[in-house]
Amino acid sequence: MVLWHPPDAPWVNLNTNGAFSASTLEAGEGGLVRGSDGEHLRAFCAPVAASSSFEAELLALIRGLEMAMELSTHIWIELDSAALVSLLSSGHLGSADLRHHMALIRSMTSQRQVRFSHIYREGNRAADFLAGRGVIPLPLNTLIQSLRLGT
């Protein structure tokens, strides 16, 4: 069983995910920031203009970083995309069509203590749920009820 575990203080944890439908070309982003005692500090989900699931993942990470940076200088980022974690850890900027996103992420994280790690989809369920809801936006009260029920 794969579970999410809170970070040690003073770290905050950022889990993000992107969703992309090749059939409809719709994309969404989602994520949440949690503190060292596991409390939810920030969450988001929204549609995004992305041309691939990888770009949706990058856009979700940028949005999540904006939120996490308001809360801490120590950010532990967990992603269920092993390819993205590998790229972020390598120092490379990736393919030409995504370099501007990667350069922005590098700039955002340059003055912070940041860890990147892979988490299996089962441990990233909350961010996965939010990203899926970003593709098809729901009214806020419906989204909150769905989060409470875990559906």
Side-chain angles (χ1 to χ4, degrees), residues 17 19 27-31 44-49 63 130-137 143:
N17 205 349
E29 64 181 1
F44 67 94
C45 67
V48 292
R63 171 80 58 100
L130 290 166
R133 293 305 185 260
V135 174
I136 305 168
L143 178 63

Side-chain angles (χ1 to χ4, degrees), residues 77-127:
I77 300 166
E78 292 181 311
L79 307 165
D80 62 17
S81 169
L84 182 53
V85 171
S86 178
L87 180 60
L88 290 164
S89 301
S90 73
H92 297 291
L93 292 177
S95 63
D97 59 331
L98 302 176
R99 284 189 182 163
H100 59 285
H101 297 314
M102 288 297 296
L104 178 57
I105 292 167
R106 297 258 186 259
S107 173
M108 294 172 80
T109 58
S110 66
Q111 301 298 313
R112 306 254 187 278
Q113 294 290 320
V114 176
R115 291 183 198 164
F116 295 103
S117 62
H118 177 260
I119 187 168
Y120 289 102
R121 183 173 301 266
E122 295 85 356
N124 204 34
R125 281 194 317 228

Side-chain angles (χ1 to χ4, degrees), residues 35-47:
S36 58
D37 62 357
E39 79 278 18
H40 290 231
L41 303 173
R42 301 276 193 284
F44 67 94
C45 67

